[in-house]
């Protein structure tokens, strides 16, 4: 059946209000307009970002989800980089190729990302409706729907042989963590690293530190159930702050003699950011904030920590240029340069999305991939 140019009715997980469970509804997805792409989503991950946003997403109703992979169903006028039938990955971080950030070789924070804050497309409308009433879009993607419409600048064409149920993690979680180590921190061979938070993104940081040649990778988490997986992926040792009477930063400084050279906060906890920075070597330690800190969250950090030369950095999407680097990362996966399998602990169908949310809350789920 040819659906090009027609409204498609399909299932989606709609969030009607903050704090409520997702509701599986039949929605309408409009055809793509100029420079837009309609995608049949095949697999999508439930990311920690969604878990945080479930309580404070400001626009309702909304279709969430941003870690997705699928097949192009149709394209709008002027689309030149993908066509119907292409396998693609959705990108919460666009790459317009024209703004100052896209043109800077050391930068990836495309200004077009801000369009996603509105929950609407650039023309001020949504491509989703429920019984004729609009539904907000999320993070340039809205992958908790069997079909979605996103801008061409938020789509990356990938290897036709790539398994979508695996590489969907490259859409966000894996790339964010792995790149934070390789691109943002620029971890050096033989160095010592510490990773605060051993969820899906934190474990990807561990993988990045190992790939960069770090000699010592210390995992930090209060959930000891994650330690075995962390060691499988490259952590040389793991510790829980709850096992010590002294602050965790003092523990790490004592363990390493002078502090770690590279430290990553992958929780999004302002107190842990301060602890992670204080865990760094006083003169050349680099601390990278990977976890999502909410708007308006203030950091309380002893100013003297910076006097000797420590560095505190932010990172978005692991520093990758989204459209060009995602395609390369998928090719690297296909060439077996890294393995995504250990990060995927659960798989469920979309209609079980609320079960996936509960699994994430238990701490036993690293990443749950939903099939659509």
């Amino acid at each position: 059946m040819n659906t090009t140019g027609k409204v498609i009715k399909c299932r989606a997980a709609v969030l009607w209000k903050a704090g409520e469970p997702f509701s599986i509804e039949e929605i309408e997805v409009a055809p793509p307009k100029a420079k837009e792409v309609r995608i049949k989503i095949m697999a999508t991950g439930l990311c920690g970002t969604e878990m945080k946003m479930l309580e404070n997403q400001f626009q309702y109703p909304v279709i969430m989800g941003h870690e997705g992979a699928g097949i192009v169903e149709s394209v709008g006028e002027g689309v030149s980089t993908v066509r119907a039938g292409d396998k693609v990955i959705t990108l919460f971080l666009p790459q317009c190729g024209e703004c100052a950030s896209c043109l800077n070789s050391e930068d990836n924070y495309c200004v077009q990302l801000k369009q996603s804050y509105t929950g609407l497309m650039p023309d001020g409308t949504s491509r989703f409706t429920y019984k004729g009433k609009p539904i907000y879009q999320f993070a340039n993607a809205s992958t908790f729907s069997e079909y979605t419409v996103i801008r061409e600048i938020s789509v990356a064409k990938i290897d036709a042989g790539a398994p979508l149920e695996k590489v969907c993690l490259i859409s966000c979680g894996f790339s964010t963590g792995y790149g934070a180590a390789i691109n943002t921190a620029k971890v050096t061979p033989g160095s010592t690293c510490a990773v605060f938070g051993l969820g899906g993104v934190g474990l990807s940081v561990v993988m990045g530190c190992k790939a960069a040649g770090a000699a010592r990778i210390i995992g930090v988490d209060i959930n000891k159930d994650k330690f075995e997986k962390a060691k499988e992926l490259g952590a040389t040792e793991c510790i829980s702050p709850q096992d010590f009477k002294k602050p965790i930063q003092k523990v790490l400084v004592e363990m390493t003699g002078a502090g770690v050279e590279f430290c990553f906060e992958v929780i999004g906890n302002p107190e842990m950011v301060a602890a992670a920075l204080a865990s760094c070597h006083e003169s050349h330690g680099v601390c990278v904030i990977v976890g999502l800190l909410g708007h308006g969250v203030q950091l309380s950090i002893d100013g003297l920590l910076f006097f000797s030369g420590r560095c505190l950095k932010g990172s978005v999407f692991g520093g990758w240029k989204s459209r060009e680097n995602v395609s390369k990362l998928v090719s690297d996966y296909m060439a077996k340069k890294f393995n995504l399998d250990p990060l995927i602990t659960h798989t469920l169908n979309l209609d079980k999305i609320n079960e996936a949310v509960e699994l994430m809350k238990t701490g036993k789920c690293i990443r749950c991939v939903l099939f659509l």
Side-chain angles (χ1 to χ4, degrees), residues 34-205:
K35 296 291 186 179
E36 296 176 359
V37 181
R38 189 158 61 180
I39 301 166
K40 179 174 174 56
I41 298 294
M42 306 302 292
T44 182
L46 179 60
C47 180
T49 300
E50 259 94 28
M51 296 300 293
K52 285 192 173 185
M53 296 299 285
L54 284 176
E55 301 299 329
N56 60 4
Q57 165 71 22
F58 300 115
Q59 300 156 318
Y60 300 96
V62 62
I63 296 174
M64 300 180 77
H66 68 282
E67 195 176 74
I71 298 171
V72 175
E73 176 271 337
S74 61
V75 301
E77 181 183 352
V79 172
S80 60
T81 57
V82 296
R83 60 185 181 183
D86 284 346
K87 282 188 176 180
V88 293
I89 279 179
T90 61
L91 305 169
F92 76 89
L93 178 65
Q95 185 181 352
C96 73
E98 299 173 353
C99 69
S101 294
C102 285
L103 294 174
N104 186 324
S105 62
E106 299 299 315
D107 193 352
N108 72 330
Y109 192 79
C110 177
V111 297
Q112 291 294 324
L113 174 65
K114 296 172 185 176
Q115 176 62 44
S116 70
Y117 302 165
T118 67
L120 300 169
M121 297 300 253
D123 67 356
T125 65
S126 172
R127 301 294 168 266
F128 296 130
T129 52
Y130 173 74
K131 295 183 178 179
K133 295 183 178 180
I135 302 174
Y136 283 107
Q137 299 181 226
F138 177 79
N140 289 310
S142 292
T143 58
F144 293 166
S145 173
E146 291 177 326
Y147 286 86
T148 189
V149 176
I150 59 182
R151 290 180 291 168
E152 182 182 14
I153 59 173
S154 294
V155 178
K157 181 181 176 180
I158 61 170
D159 191 309
L164 299 179
E165 73 279 7
K166 309 284 188 184
V167 300
C168 61
L169 268 61
I170 294 174
S171 176
C172 177
F174 172 76
S175 302
T176 295
Y178 191 75
I182 292 176
N183 299 324
T184 310
K186 293 181 170 58
V187 170
T188 53
S191 60
T192 298
C193 303
V195 181
F196 283 61
L198 298 174
V201 178
L203 291 174
S204 298
V205 173

Side-chain angles (χ1 to χ4, degrees), residues 106 180-186 262-265 273 277 280 285-291 293 299 306 310-316:
E106 299 299 315
I182 292 176
N183 299 324
T184 310
K186 293 181 170 58
F262 301 96
C263 194
F264 303 85
E265 200 283 348
V273 171
L277 180 65
C280 288
V286 175
C287 180
V288 179
I289 301 174
V290 187
L293 292 168
L299 299 177
F306 294 104
R310 287 181 183 87
C311 176
L312 179 63
K313 304 177 73 175
S315 180
V316 61

Side-chain angles (χ1 to χ4, degrees), residues 235-277:
T236 54
E237 58 216 289
C238 295
I239 58 175
S240 169
Q242 295 178 336
D243 288 344
F244 304 92
K245 293 183 179 179
K246 63 185 70 174
I248 193 64
Q249 55 265 42
K250 290 190 176 182
V251 174
L252 285 165
V253 169
E254 289 176 4
M255 286 176 66
T256 56
V260 299
E261 289 156 287
F262 301 96
C263 194
F264 303 85
E265 200 283 348
V266 204
I267 304 166
N269 181 314
E271 293 179 2
M272 286 298 98
V273 171
L277 180 65

